[in-house]
Amino acid sequence: MYRFLFRMIVIVFLAPVDSNKIHKWTLKQLEANINCQDKVYKSSERVSRDYWVLENYILADHGPLPCYANVTYTTHSDYRYLDNVVPLLDRWRSPLSLAIYAPGEDFEPTLRSILYLLQCHPGRHLVRELASFHLFFDVLLMPKVVPTAKVALSRQANCSAPVPYANVRKMDLYRSRMKLNYPVNMGRNIARDASLTYFVLASDIELYPSPGLVPAYLRFFSLSVIPNPELLYTSPVVHVLRIFEVMSNVSIPNTKPELQSMLYSGKAVPFHLKICDVCHTGPKLMEWINAVDMDTENLNVFNEGKRMWDYELWEPVFIGTIRDPPYDERLSWEGQRDKMTQAYAMCILNYTFHILDNAFLVHKPGIKHLKWDELDDTQIEKTDGLMNGRIFKELEITYGTRSGCLIL
Ligand SMILES: *[C@@H]1O[C@H](CO)[C@@H](O)[C@H](O)[C@H]1NC(C)=O
Ligand SMILES: *[C@@H]1O[C@H](CO)[C@@H](O)[C@H](O)[C@H]1NC(C)=O
Ligand SMILES: *[C@@H]1O[C@H](CO)[C@@H](O)[C@H](O)[C@H]1NC(C)=O
Ligand SMILES: *[C@@H]1O[C@H](CO)[C@@H](O)[C@H](O)[C@H]1NC(C)=O
């Protein structure tokens, strides 16, 4: 009862503040309850597995951040996907940690693409303020020249030349000519390890969040998670964002009511419904879509799921933390199932997936049909072999087993 009253008072108290600003009370709650350590924000180099990693090669102007007070979008790509950076940041408006795979001759156009974003793009102020860029490449396939960031940044981009990342085909990449796999999980881990904040949204660069998500999430966390010791201390909880696709000729919905009307008119559909229904549906998708939400200002948990039984193939994207299990760096994009080991570990560790009601991700416009030629059968077989043999045994040793948790 007291908790309920307290919550009512807090809600009334918070109501008039600008929804993009985060309230002092929220910050105090987070600071007192989140056990994290601020990081030094600087550039560094290291060798990790068979790769050189240039962490924070380009630093964001935001500088050092308190670890509890923000959420970092962590992601990976090659330079062909850098067209997503500005539309993503325009909606996210919070730190971005981006790991780019740039082996050999892909390094130079990668650098030119970043310089274009920082110097020429109309949204360059967002990129400078919010984006930290990490570059990585195989130790055996070094670029000819790796300038220091200072030297690289002092170069003047030619803003009237064609956009360096536009219209690049996969076959144009050095990586494709060398038949290299895309080390997706190296990228995911590099980006997440470099996050200055405890909370992260580990996502794919083409998935754009609904606007205002970060301040709403921090408010939600301090009001709904922190006061519940069962949520905070028993088993870990992460917060899932449902994913949608929209037609290429429509604008991206900003609010859930906008999304709902687009779903009803067929301008939007749940993500990859045609390609892999079970991977993205999760429990109660239709109920979520049809729910009429009275409280459109605040985030709440709509329903929860476990990644087991009927949902063992579910690949949710969620706001979690830097302490969630890492991705297995031996698995590549081409081999598929690259998130399965993390998912298995989370099942064993009894994670609960709380699905948020008023926030979502939208894929870069254009409804996708999977091109089968992008998959590589020999890589898939290799992954299968690795998974069924070594990796499964390792996971059992590291995390144990639990009925209902499967590696698929
Ligand atoms: C910049 O690019 C434009 C268009 O490709 C070209 O005409 C111009 O010479 C370039 N300028 C410099 C300084 O390279
Ligand atoms: C998160 O950090 C960015 C960059 O400093 C800042 O613009 C934004 O307001 C911060 N968000 C919150 C909720 O404080
Ligand atoms: C978008 O394209 C579809 C067909 O591809 C068409 O039916 C629809 O009218 C278009 N919508 C707008 C807003 O142009
Ligand atoms: C697993 O999490 C659920 C909450 O989703 C909890 O009720 C249950 O006790 C936990 N099980 C173990 C073994 O910790």
Side-chain angles (χ1 to χ4, degrees):
M1 182 60 191
Y2 281 121
R3 181 184 287 165
F4 177 72
L5 265 183
F6 175 65
R7 210 184 271 189
M8 289 303 292
I9 291 165
V10 167
I11 288 168
V12 171
F13 186 54
L14 286 176
V17 303
D18 171 1
S19 66
N20 270 318
K21 288 259 154 51
I22 165 164
H23 201 275
K24 278 209 181 76
W25 180 86
T26 302
L27 277 182
K28 283 238 151 61
Q29 283 290 94
L30 294 168
E31 184 176 13
N33 290 285
I34 290 173
N35 177 14
C36 64
Q37 231 151 22
D38 291 348
K39 284 189 195 156
V40 180
Y41 188 43
K42 63 173 176 53
S43 306
S44 64
E45 302 84 39
R46 63 172 184 271
V47 174
S48 173
R49 290 195 167 266
D50 301 329
Y51 302 93
W52 267 104
V53 179
L54 312 181
E55 181 176 296
N56 290 319
Y57 183 67
I58 309 275
L59 295 156
D61 285 350
H62 63 53
L65 296 170
C67 59
Y68 57 86
N70 218 315
V71 185
T72 302
Y73 190 109
T74 69
T75 191
H76 58 88
S77 75
D78 62 45
Y79 71 96
R80 292 176 300 153
Y81 289 87
L82 293 181
D83 62 314
N84 293 292
V85 170
V86 170
L88 171 65
L89 288 178
D90 190 31
R91 293 167 74 85
W92 181 244
R93 304 265 165 175
S94 304
L96 167 68
S97 174
L98 170 57
I100 308 179
Y101 181 47
E105 291 165 23
D106 287 340
F107 188 85
E108 176 56 26
T110 300
L111 206 49
R112 273 193 287 117
S113 298
I114 295 173
L115 288 177
Y116 179 88
L117 286 173
L118 292 168
Q119 296 179 12
C120 310
H121 197 290
R124 58 190 175 275
H125 62 285
L126 287 172
V127 184
R128 287 186 196 161
E129 175 64 20
L130 299 171
S132 303
F133 293 94
H134 327 292
L135 302 181
F136 69 108
F137 40 80
D138 312 60
V139 286
L140 294 178
L141 299 163
M142 294 282 290
K144 284 219 177 65
V145 187
V146 178
T148 62
K150 198 162 166 231
V151 169
L153 286 171
S154 67
R155 273 166 47 180
Q156 192 63 46
N158 181 352
C159 296
S160 40
V163 179
Y165 49 76
N167 306 315
V168 184
R169 292 163 306 172
K170 189 171 178 203
M171 56 183 278
D172 299 334
L173 295 177
Y174 172 80
R175 156 156 75 84
S176 304
R177 293 201 302 277
M178 300 302 284
K179 300 201 168 20
L180 301 172
N181 286 330
Y182 180 63
V184 58
N185 285 345
M186 275 300 296
R188 288 192 177 117
N189 285 342
I190 291 167
R192 205 182 67 170
D193 291 347
S195 169
L196 296 177
T197 63
Y198 175 70
F199 293 116
V200 289
L201 170 53
S203 183
D204 285 328
I205 195 167
E206 292 184 301
L207 299 178
Y208 307 159
S210 45
L213 176 54
V214 172
Y217 182 77
L218 296 173
R219 214 161 43 234
F220 155 80
F221 197 91
S222 58
L223 286 170
S224 307
V225 181
I226 288 176
N228 283 304
E230 353 36 298
L231 290 180
L232 212 50
Y233 302 114
T234 41
S235 289
V237 169
V238 291
H239 295 99
V240 175
L241 300 164
R242 293 211 179 268
I243 316 173
F244 298 89
E245 293 177 90
V246 297
M247 291 171 83
S248 55
N249 57 355
V250 300
S251 55
I252 305 179
N254 288 328
T255 62
K256 180 150 179 203
E258 276 175 43
L259 169 67
Q260 285 171 314
S261 76
M262 291 175 69
L263 287 161
Y264 294 140
S265 66
K267 288 179 185 152
V269 293
F271 187 55
H272 280 187
L273 205 54
K274 295 212 184 80
I275 299 172
C276 178
D277 188 349
V278 286
C279 299
H280 298 283
T281 307
K284 297 202 174 156
L285 174 62
M286 281 310 158
E287 289 89 334
W288 190 96
I289 288 174
N290 291 317
V292 181
D293 197 341
M294 295 302 152
D295 178 11
T296 52
E297 286 296 303
N298 295 294
L299 293 184
N300 289 292
V301 174
F302 185 80
N303 65 309
E304 57 179 72
K306 292 271 183 186
R307 201 182 162 286
M308 55 205 305
W309 311 122
D310 285 353
Y311 299 102
E312 60 203 8
L313 285 172
W314 187 29
E315 286 187 11
V317 174
F318 50 83
I319 300 181
T321 77
I322 50 173
R323 302 223 181 99
D324 297 330
Y327 302 93
D328 194 302
E329 292 171 356
R330 288 165 292 186
L331 303 181
S332 68
W333 180 256
E334 288 77 4
Q336 294 283 292
R337 305 202 302 170
D338 42 270
K339 280 181 173 172
M340 290 302 167
T341 59
Q342 190 205 39
Y344 178 76
M346 291 176 84
C347 182
I348 301 277
L349 297 170
N350 200 25
Y351 271 71
T352 309
F353 296 86
H354 282 199
I355 301 174
L356 295 174
D357 60 348
N358 252 322
F360 51 87
L361 296 167
V362 179
H363 192 270
K364 172 188 174 180
I367 291 172
K368 188 171 170 181
H369 301 276
L370 184 64
K371 293 182 227 93
W372 289 106
D373 63 9
E374 279 174 14
L375 302 183
D376 178 334
D377 286 338
T378 49
Q379 286 308 320
I380 292 174
E381 262 169 45
K382 222 161 117 187
T383 297
D384 289 353
L386 200 59
M387 202 74 115
N388 299 340
R390 294 221 342 239
I391 294 184
F392 185 67
K393 281 208 196 75
E394 287 167 21
L395 287 171
E396 261 188 8
I397 292 168
T398 313
Y399 297 103
T401 53
R402 228 158 84 82
S403 144
C405 299
L406 291 174
I407 301 194
L408 291 160

